[in-house]
Amino acid sequence: MIAYVNGIIEDITEDNVVIDVGGIGYNVRISADTAARLAGTGEMVRLYTYTYVKEDAFLLYGFLSREELAMFKLCITVSGIGPKGGLALLSVMDADSLRFAIMSGDTKAISKAPGIGARTAQRLILELKDKITIDDTMISKEIAVTAAGHMNADSAQKQEALAALVSLGYGQAESLKAINSIEGIENMDAGAVLKAALKKMF
């Protein structure tokens, strides 16, 4: 209904921001992660929004990127997870981490979100694992060729190591998670990245 809200930040709390748009203040529900990343009061911001309407309320939920909004909308399609649960999930991990958790079946990580128990986490994984692909993740964008036809500094190493891990029988999700957790990867060649990733796998 409302695609985004673009205006001046008037007030921020842990779960809500008031945005002045042409003299009208909009209350927008946000995750704790979004609250931490917002600029201070008096600054301009654009939040991509989801409109939630029920008998006694008309609520806006806001996100700093379309990717976060898309992940939120996907989460609330799961039975037992409403907008509050969707925000809780995105408060404890970013959209990309949540995708990895779903693809790798990491119930423990997902159930860290307030109000999301182990059973709900399992249901989330079961219902969404086939709706998320590796192409949706930010790391896949990191290792992609840029518009200029060049690769990011450490992208070639990641790509080669990923291909090697997959050829060894490891899943893409767990392989990417291991690669992404390696420190100092920009100074490593593909062989070193592969060895470090294999250590992470055990």
Side-chain angles (χ1 to χ4, degrees), residues 2 10 17 28 36 38 53 59 63-64 71-72 83 89-90 96 100 111 119 122 124 129 141 147 154 163 167 198:
I2 299 175
E10 286 293 322
V17 60
V28 184
L38 284 176
V53 181
L59 304 173
F63 306 88
L64 287 168
M71 195 67 223
F72 171 82
L89 287 163
L90 291 169
D96 202 39
F100 276 123
S111 59
R119 287 186 179 179
Q122 289 170 354
L124 181 81
K129 65 180 181 180
K141 296 173 186 175
D154 58 351
S167 69
L198 285 169

Side-chain angles (χ1 to χ4, degrees), residues 1-198:
M1 185 176 287
I2 299 175
Y4 61 83
V5 176
N6 193 75
I8 299 171
I9 299 174
E10 286 293 322
D11 184 51
I12 307 173
T13 63
E14 186 176 296
D15 60 359
N16 191 82
V17 60
V18 179
I19 301 178
D20 182 330
V21 182
I24 299 175
Y26 288 88
N27 276 309
V28 184
R29 302 294 177 90
I30 55 175
S31 69
D33 180 66
T34 295
R37 290 187 289 137
L38 284 176
T41 56
E43 298 294 326
M44 289 290 296
V45 68
R46 171 177 288 189
L47 292 178
Y48 297 94
T49 55
Y50 172 80
T51 306
Y52 180 63
V53 181
K54 57 181 182 177
E55 291 181 3
D56 58 347
F58 181 96
L59 304 173
L60 286 177
Y61 291 83
F63 306 88
L64 287 168
S65 71
R66 291 188 178 92
E67 289 78 15
E68 288 175 307
L69 173 59
M71 195 67 223
F72 171 82
K73 291 168 74 173
L74 198 57
C75 287
I76 63 176
T77 64
V78 176
S79 56
I81 299 180
K84 185 177 180 180
L87 277 191
L89 287 163
L90 291 169
S91 288
V92 297
M93 63 182 86
D94 60 28
D96 202 39
S97 296
L98 182 53
R99 289 189 188 98
F100 276 123
I102 292 169
M103 287 190 294
S104 61
D106 194 344
T107 306
K108 186 176 180 180
I110 293 171
S111 59
K112 288 179 181 179
I116 304 295
R119 287 186 179 179
T120 303
Q122 289 170 354
R123 190 183 308 121
L124 181 81
I125 292 168
L126 182 64
E127 294 188 24
L128 297 186
K129 65 180 181 180
D130 293 330
K131 297 180 181 179
I132 294 174
T133 68
I134 204 65
D135 292 333
D136 294 326
T137 61
M138 291 303 291
I139 191 170
S140 70
K141 296 173 186 175
E142 287 180 16
I143 64 175
V145 176
T146 66
H150 301 291
M151 301 193 73
N152 295 329
D154 58 351
S155 295
Q157 302 96 294
K158 287 182 180 180
Q159 197 171 48
E160 289 180 40
L162 173 61
L165 288 168
V166 171
S167 69
L168 289 171
Y170 293 101
Q172 283 189 322
E174 61 178 338
S175 299
L176 282 171
K177 188 174 182 179
I179 291 171
N180 204 34
S181 66
I182 298 171
E183 296 182 3
I185 196 169
E186 64 277 0
N187 299 316
M188 301 164 67
D189 60 24
V193 173
L194 176 60
K195 289 179 182 178
L198 285 169

